[in-house]
Amino acid sequence: MTTEIQDNPELTACDAAEQEETVAIRVEDLIVGRTIQNPIYDAHGVLLLAEGAVITSRFKELLRDRKQDHVEIHNEDASTVSLNALAGNPLIEGASPGIFSTELTEKLDRLIESGSMFVANTGPALRDSMVVHGCKGYDKEHRENLFDQQQAFGESLDNMMRGALKGSRPSGSEIAGIAANYLTQLTSDADCVISVAMEAGSDETLSQHCLQMSLLGMAIGAELNLDEGNIRNIGLCGLVHDWGMVKVQEKIGKWRRRLEPLELMEMRKHPIFSLEMLEEIAGIPSIVPVVCYQVHEQPNGEGYPRQRSQNMIHLFARILNVAHWYVSLTSSREDRPALMPYAAMEYMLRMTNEKTIDSSPMRALLNLLSLFPVGSFVTLTDGSAARVIRRNGDHYTSPIVQIIQTADGKNADLENPDMIIDLKQSDLEIDQALPTPGKDEIDLTSELFDGQV
């Protein structure tokens, strides 16, 4: 059966009746290799693919060439050719010179230029105490509690940063408590807590962005064999580094959109605004302002606010910069959808070669999430669809997955432990990455993606 798009504007009465039983599916969500039992039409009733045909990469390319974002899929085929029917399933659901200087920034600049920003462990590496769960699913009740906790932390952090903007003094001990809680959760089940944070942060508020960066930064620090004290400080920096964006939002509105040149200049002042707000928080470790000042610097010297290069950027800032890119690339903006997690990792590996991000924390992120990141969706070589639930050591392309849909499009029993597969020990392999059900994610082939965050 050919996969060339069939331009046939003549529809019979029967064809028209069939179209009333269709649903619009994004082209990006179509699963390659799935067979359709009914014809596929575009929004204008043009026949694109005949019944009994197979969805192929070529078919999706032809649709993109036509600038076609959606196709009409018969209701009987909708759950087979995409995962969007699972979007509401609770078992599935569960980030320079010319910028003004201040007395504080000049003090930090002198500290940075003195070359005294080394990092040393004073205790054992936290990684040695982290529990490895292997081929095991998540504890359902614990996962639900983590979702509630993530939302509560987000509300608390949002209140603190907006209160600080209005002159109140946030509680340093409360902020530190969030980082300490994350540290405990990471030690007990890093895969579970990271997947929850990525899902719970789908509202893409500033507070959730900071929470995701804090958690991911701490996890990267653990992968780099840092000790508990250093990792706690990374988490604390992640929680407060972007507070200055609240002031930017007051001036230019939403931050997840393409900014005009003057707006962009204002946005790049937010590390300085964050420093001003941090001065009002008692008990913050002295390293926190230094790191928050540098999170958006890049090893190639093209970051901001001071265009520092590799050796002049604190390790914690380089770690959080990697976390920022992953969180930002997998979040939507007004001017572009989110990247699929696999596509974000692919793009960041390219950035490593360009020295836009530091290779050391990037390798740690790869160890932490795998090439097909924890929480993402894939199809396997037998045609089944699965969700990545755990990393698998340095086997980046063979994570531990949970089958959520069989090759014939039927939903799998998510309570069945046999649906959890260690791909390192299986004949099955990952065939393709899929968008997250219910999210308008894209891959790197899309013209909508320009690499800006």
Side-chain angles (χ1 to χ4, degrees), residues 164-330:
L165 180 64
K166 297 177 181 179
S168 66
R169 293 179 64 87
S171 168
S173 60
E174 186 177 355
I175 301 170
I178 295 175
N181 187 287
Y182 271 159
L183 197 61
T184 301
Q185 302 292 355
L186 279 172
T187 304
S188 63
D189 193 340
D191 298 314
C192 184
V193 69
I194 289 172
S195 71
V196 166
M198 294 300 111
E199 290 181 38
S202 60
D203 58 11
E204 297 176 357
T205 58
L206 177 58
S207 58
Q208 286 295 338
H209 175 85
C210 290
L211 288 170
Q212 289 175 318
M213 276 191 59
S214 173
L215 178 60
L216 203 54
M218 293 173 77
I220 293 172
E223 283 297 309
L224 291 174
N225 288 316
L226 296 179
D227 65 10
E228 182 177 330
N230 282 319
I231 292 172
R232 187 184 295 111
N233 280 337
I234 292 173
L236 188 54
C237 293
L239 290 172
V240 301
H241 80 286
D242 256 355
W243 282 27
M245 285 300 303
V246 179
K247 188 170 183 179
V248 173
Q249 289 174 337
E250 293 281 320
K251 293 187 175 183
I252 65 175
K254 292 184 179 180
W255 64 311
R256 294 186 182 278
R257 63 181 174 86
R258 186 179 296 278
L259 302 178
E260 299 297 329
L262 290 178
E263 291 179 326
L264 183 62
M265 183 179 296
E266 188 69 24
M267 187 277 291
R268 290 187 169 179
K269 293 178 183 177
H270 83 265
I272 289 87
F273 297 152
S274 295
L275 294 179
E276 294 171 348
M277 296 169 74
L278 289 179
E279 288 190 294
E280 301 301 318
I281 304 176
I284 290 291
S286 59
I287 193 60
V288 172
V290 177
V291 175
C292 293
Y293 185 42
Q294 291 200 305
V295 166
H296 299 288
E297 300 285 6
Q298 296 176 179
N300 60 7
E302 296 181 2
Y304 64 89
R306 291 291 182 261
Q307 295 183 326
R308 300 289 186 184
S309 56
Q310 175 79 20
N311 295 332
M312 299 294 283
I313 306 172
H314 195 281
L315 173 61
F316 296 174
R318 285 181 272 136
I319 288 172
L320 287 168
N321 180 256
V322 168
H324 161 76
W325 275 99
Y326 182 77
V327 172
S328 297
L329 289 171
T330 54

